[in-house]
């Protein structure tokens, strides 16, 4: 069941589109904000509300990289692995993060604090290498140890 | 450099009014810098056709990478009695081309410039609805645009009966959920309709049948930001900003091992060498220049001998490349050209929507082959395999430009750095091991 608050936010998203279906990406994002990810149960509820079949909505949900169909940690780290970052220390940053958090891209730390995911160019190439934690971009992470102090801010 | 060029370089219509602290210009600051004068002028004293004609004669070409003449794009929208309604404008703010960060800078610093540009595009094509299709990761730009939209509605630059002219426009900010395909204009429209961002067959072109099957113009952010300046100052002025045939200034950028990575507004047609050596400050100490991709991941490599070419839409063609987004990525002598290629091709493989076979099947195969070479397990035949695969990605084999875009840095990378690829194969290891 979607909560009243969730429904209100979904409605706000739908208001900008003539057809309810067109607002489905916004609706998924709005609900995900509350729940962290989109479970099968949750997907069915949203689909029903938008008058779509669950498959139809899942078809959309699985296409987009910031809709999570599996549980994620309290904070999601998107590490940019595109070409500008690659040329200025992406690999060293990834190695450092993986060692420190003991996870590979696609995994979540055992304490549920961080999920590490690869990201397409974050559009901050002048500050490469870069990553994004939740809604914050952090750049110029060379040497990679610079990320240690940043991680401390996300509990 | 002669005086004429020096003078042109001082003109920065897009970025000249930016605040020093990096905060977005609010509506009062934007108006003080001449903002919304163009919209006022257009709705009060120009017909939509006049606006189209002014943009046409300014030689403004699309800044998203393809360089299509903007005025001409608008002119394909059917208008007049009996033409389909509603019509739409979409700003392509899904900046995801690797190495590209120019639109972000414009939106974060001057959100009203985009709004005014979109309002003018809407007026010129008779559109009543406009969407800013923004990538979700651009959180700072989203906040700037949300604030600016509210202010623009308040002052009646948007909404019903704009400035008492009878022209009405509703504008909405759409935050995307992350996928490179959304930047392809028909993929963008599908995504805006709440679908997977698959490309559509063209024709029909979006100007005739776009969002919800209605006439839609999709323009890049930087393109739209130029429009208010053209309408306010005239097409002749706009053309005079440039060093070549294409009108205006261009936001160029550089990333990689240069001294000052960044973006700069310069006359269209500035040479690669000037951007690289003067504005980016040349290579960082201890690094040597080997090559560059001039405008985002899907453009062809260029090398030392090309540095004096002008960065505009036509000058790079003889060298087999193109300006693309104008934000160059530098390859230095301490970065492995095969590794860089793996980064490029992995991006395209991951972002492929899977619709067309050469793209869906070919790109993972290319990544696999490159990884073998990088790991010292490659064979000389792999070089031919890579080029064969690249040929299969050519235009005409797929619905959209993603696969051809992937082939561009691959073919040119093999051409200019073949010896480095072959060294991996001969020595059965990467000559640039990670420290």
């Amino acid at each position: 069941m979607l909560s009243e608050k969730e429904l209100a936010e979904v409605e706000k998203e739908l208001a900008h589109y003539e057809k309810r279906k067109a607002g489905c990406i916004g609706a998924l994002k709005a609900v995900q904000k509350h729940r962290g990810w989109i479970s099968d149960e949750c997907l069915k509820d949203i689909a029903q509300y938008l008058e779509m079949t669950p498959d139809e909505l899942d078809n959309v949900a699985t296409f987009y990289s910031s809709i999570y169909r599996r549980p994620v940690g309290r904070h999601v780290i998107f590490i940019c692995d595109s070409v500008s970052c690659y040329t200025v220390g992406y690999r060293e940053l990834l190695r450092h993060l993986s060692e420190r958090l003991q996870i590979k891209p696609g995994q979540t730390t055992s304490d549920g604090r961080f999920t590490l995911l690869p990201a397409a160019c974050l559009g901050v190439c002048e500050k490469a290498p870069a990553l994004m934690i939740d809604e914050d971009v952090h750049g110029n992470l060379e040497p990679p140890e610079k990320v240690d102090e940043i991680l401390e801010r996300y509990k | 450099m002669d005086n004429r060029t020096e003078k042109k370089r001082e003109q920065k219509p897009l970025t000249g009014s930016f605040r020093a602290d990096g905060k977005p210009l609010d509506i009062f600051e934007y108006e003080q810098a001449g903002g919304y004068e163009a919209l006022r002028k257009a709705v009060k004293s120009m017909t939509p056709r006049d606006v189209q004609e002014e943009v046409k004669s300014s030689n403004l070409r699309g800044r998203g990478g393809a360089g299509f003449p903007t005025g001409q794009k608008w002119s394909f929208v059917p208008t007049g009695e009996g033409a389909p309604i509603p019509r739409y404008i979409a700003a392509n703010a899904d900046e995801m081309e690797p190495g590209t960060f120019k639109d972000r800078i414009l939106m974060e610093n001057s959100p009203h410039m985009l709004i005014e540009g979109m309002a003018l595009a809407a007026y010129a094509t008779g559109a009543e609805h406009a969407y800013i299709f923004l990538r979700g990761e651009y959180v700072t730009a989203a906040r700037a645009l949300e604030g600016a939209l509210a202010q623009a509605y308040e002052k009646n630059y948007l909404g019903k009966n704009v400035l008492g002219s009878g022209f009405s426009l509703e504008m909405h900010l759409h935050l995307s959920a992350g996928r490179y395909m959304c930047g392809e204009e028909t993929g963008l429209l599908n995504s805006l309709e709440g679908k997977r961002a698959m490309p559509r067959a063209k024709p029909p072109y979006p100007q005739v049948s776009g969002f919800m099957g209605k006439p839609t113009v999709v323009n890049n952010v930087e393109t739209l930001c130029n429009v208010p300046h053209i309408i306010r100052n005239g097409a002749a002025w706009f053309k005079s900003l440039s060093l070549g045939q294409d009108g205006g200034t261009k936001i160029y950028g550089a990333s990689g091992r240069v001294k000052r990575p960044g973006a700069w507004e310069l006359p269209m047609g500035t040479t690669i060498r000037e951007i690289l050596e003067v504005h980016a400050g040349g290579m960082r100490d201890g690094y040597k220049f080997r090559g560059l991709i001039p405008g985002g991941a899907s453009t062809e490599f260029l090398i030392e001998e090309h540095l004096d070419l002008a960065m505009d839409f036509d000058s790079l063609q003889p060298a087999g490349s193109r300006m693309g987004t104008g934000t160059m990525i530098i390859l230095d002598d301490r970065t492995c050209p095969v590794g860089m290629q793996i980064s490029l091709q992995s991006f395209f493989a991951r972002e492929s929507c899977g619709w067309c076979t050469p793209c869906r099947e070919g790109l993972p195969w290319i990544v696999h082959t490159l990884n073998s070479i990088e790991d010292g397990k490659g064979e000389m035949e792999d070089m031919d395999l890579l080029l064969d695969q690249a040929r299969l990605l050519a235009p005409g084999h797929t619905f959209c430009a993603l696969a051809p875009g992937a082939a561009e840095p691959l073919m040119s990378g093999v051409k200019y750095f073949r010896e480095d690829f072959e060294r991996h194969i001969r020595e059965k290891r990467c000559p640039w091991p990670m420290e």
Side-chain angles (χ1 to χ4, degrees):
Chain A
M1 280 281 284
L2 299 174
S3 72
E4 266 180 37
K5 200 166 173 212
E6 287 168 339
L7 287 177
E9 283 171 33
V10 167
E11 274 305 326
K12 214 174 127 201
E13 287 297 324
L14 301 184
H16 300 289
Y17 305 88
E18 289 158 49
K19 292 186 183 165
R20 294 173 76 74
K21 261 189 200 177
C24 71
I25 296 168
L28 285 163
K29 285 174 81 172
V31 176
Q32 183 173 278
K33 253 195 182 147
H34 291 275
R35 310 206 176 186
W37 65 295
I38 303 292
S39 66
D40 289 349
E41 199 55 45
C42 176
L43 185 95
K44 274 181 205 154
D45 291 340
I46 302 172
Q48 193 178 19
Y49 192 71
L50 300 180
E51 290 156 16
M52 298 169 81
T53 67
D55 281 351
E56 212 180 343
L57 185 61
D58 205 16
N59 177 45
V60 176
T62 52
F63 188 81
Y64 294 96
S65 50
S66 57
I67 308 284
Y68 311 129
R69 287 288 280 114
R70 276 190 281 171
V72 291
R74 290 196 297 284
H75 305 287
V76 176
I77 305 174
F78 272 111
I79 179 167
C80 174
D81 62 2
S82 287
V83 63
S84 297
C85 284
Y86 183 88
T87 62
V88 293
Y90 151 74
R91 290 187 303 163
E92 288 77 6
L93 180 60
L94 176 65
R95 179 172 65 185
H96 180 76
L97 261 180
S98 293
E99 280 172 9
R100 203 186 146 85
L101 301 175
Q102 292 291 306
I103 47 172
K104 284 190 244 168
Q107 297 179 335
T108 300
T109 53
S110 54
D111 59 0
R113 187 169 156 210
F114 291 111
T115 295
L116 180 61
L117 294 173
C121 184
L122 293 171
V124 287
C125 318
E126 80 277 34
K127 295 183 210 136
L131 50 74
M132 191 164 181
I133 307 182
D134 303 336
E135 293 197 330
D136 315 319
V137 171
H138 301 281
N140 294 318
L141 298 175
E142 197 184 30
E145 290 75 21
K146 281 167 85 173
V147 81
D148 296 348
E149 173 266 325
I150 292 165
L151 292 177
E152 287 311 308
R153 295 179 221 164
Y154 299 88
K155 294 296 179 186
Chain B
M1 197 157 309
D2 60 36
N3 280 340
R4 207 172 123 258
T5 312
E6 200 54 55
K7 239 199 159 98
K8 287 184 184 210
R9 185 185 296 176
E10 287 161 17
Q11 304 236 32
K12 299 184 190 300
L14 299 177
T15 61
S17 60
F18 282 8
R19 291 170 58 115
D21 63 4
K23 293 215 169 74
L25 285 179
D26 69 22
I27 199 158
F28 304 105
E29 293 164 320
Y30 182 66
E31 284 172 333
Q32 212 144 48
Y36 289 114
E37 271 176 30
L39 181 62
R40 194 178 298 274
K41 177 177 167 185
V43 299
K44 300 256 184 204
S45 65
M46 294 171 85
T47 64
R49 181 53 56 93
D50 292 341
V51 175
Q52 277 194 21
E53 287 305 318
E54 197 68 30
V55 171
K56 243 188 212 170
S57 52
S58 75
N59 289 357
L60 171 65
R61 293 174 67 178
R63 305 293 200 243
F68 195 82
T70 307
Q72 203 183 335
K73 194 178 208 180
W74 294 357
S75 71
F76 298 144
V77 175
T79 52
E81 201 110 333
I85 50 163
R87 297 190 277 270
Y88 298 93
I89 294 291
N92 188 343
D94 192 66
E95 186 171 60
M96 279 185 82
E97 181 71 31
T100 304
F101 50 101
K102 64 184 181 71
D103 296 338
R104 190 201 86 232
I105 292 173
L106 285 169
M107 292 183 286
E108 286 181 354
N109 289 280
S110 196
H112 284 287
M113 207 186 299
L114 173 61
I115 294 170
E116 188 183 9
M118 290 175 73
L120 286 162
Y123 181 70
T125 55
E128 291 171 12
H129 298 274
Y131 288 95
I132 304 172
F133 191 102
L134 182 69
R135 66 178 296 192
E137 292 86 347
Y138 278 4
V139 178
T140 310
R143 286 182 195 136
L145 285 164
E146 269 167 12
L149 281 170
Q151 290 178 326
Y153 268 105
E154 215 167 280
K155 295 204 101 178
N156 195 216
Y157 294 127
L158 294 175
K160 295 222 165 12
N161 195 17
V162 170
L163 304 172
S165 65
F167 161 68
S168 297
L169 179 65
E170 294 298 324
M171 194 177 291
H172 173 61
L173 177 66
H174 173 94
L175 282 180
S176 186
R179 201 69 196 257
Y180 178 60
M181 274 306 302
C182 296
E184 200 278 339
E185 71 176 356
T186 59
L188 182 149
L189 296 172
N190 277 336
S191 186
L192 205 51
E193 291 178 10
K195 300 172 186 157
R196 292 166 86 98
M198 313 298 249
R200 297 176 181 174
K202 294 192 262 191
Y205 288 90
Q207 293 94 317
V208 177
S209 176
F211 183 59
M212 299 293 183
K214 300 292 184 184
T216 307
V217 166
V218 183
N219 280 143
N220 165 264
V221 169
E222 186 185 352
T223 310
L224 288 161
C225 285
N226 274 297
V227 174
H229 302 286
I230 293 168
I231 298 305
R232 190 152 65 96
N233 302 313
W237 165 85
F238 189 73
K239 275 197 280 198
S240 78
L241 296 173
S242 155
L243 302 174
Q245 289 305 306
D246 306 331
T249 59
K250 176 78 191 79
I251 301 193
Y252 296 110
S255 60
R257 295 283 185 202
V258 290
K259 283 207 180 86
R260 290 188 301 271
W264 311 274
E265 182 180 10
L266 298 167
M268 178 68 91
T270 300
T271 64
I272 300 175
R273 188 182 298 282
E274 186 188 320
I275 297 163
L276 182 62
E277 293 177 1
V278 178
H279 304 284
M283 298 302 288
R284 261 207 249 174
D285 294 337
Y287 293 89
K288 286 199 187 76
F289 173 86
R290 288 207 68 201
L292 59 83
I293 321 179
S298 40
T299 56
E300 293 90 342
F301 275 95
L302 293 172
I303 53 171
E304 183 86 40
E305 65 180 77
H306 303 122
L307 292 186
D308 291 310
L309 292 174
M311 280 280 271
D312 60 29
F313 288 108
D314 300 321
S315 301
L316 301 188
Q317 274 176 14
S321 190
R322 54 195 190 91
M323 176 170 76
T325 59
T327 44
M328 52 181 72
I329 307 153
I330 316 303
L331 169 66
D332 62 84
D333 64 331
R334 287 162 67 177
T335 298
C336 172
V338 177
M340 185 180 183
Q341 197 65 242
I342 291 173
S343 170
L344 287 162
Q345 300 303 325
S346 303
F347 164 81
F348 290 115
R350 190 172 67 205
E351 295 297 331
S352 169
C353 74
W355 189 249
C356 310
T357 311
C359 186
R360 181 186 65 241
E361 306 296 324
L363 287 168
W365 193 244
I366 286 166
V367 172
H368 177 80
T369 310
L370 288 168
N371 272 321
S372 302
I373 295 173
E374 179 77 345
D375 294 343
K377 295 173 195 147
E379 316 254 346
M380 280 301 168
E381 296 89 81
D382 289 342
M383 299 305 294
D384 294 330
L385 188 81
L386 284 175
L387 292 175
D388 284 345
Q389 288 289 348
R391 276 188 280 271
L392 293 173
L393 300 174
H397 296 185
T398 55
F399 272 91
C400 85
L402 188 145
E408 292 182 30
L410 178 59
M411 284 182 132
S412 54
V414 169
K415 178 174 158 198
Y416 293 122
F417 307 109
R418 189 171 190 121
E419 172 51 27
D420 299 311
F421 281 72
E422 293 185 353
R423 226 181 114 196
H424 281 77
I425 299 170
R426 276 198 315 271
E427 297 178 11
K428 299 192 187 304
R429 66 179 189 104
C430 174
W432 286 267
M434 204 168 139
E435 285 143 22

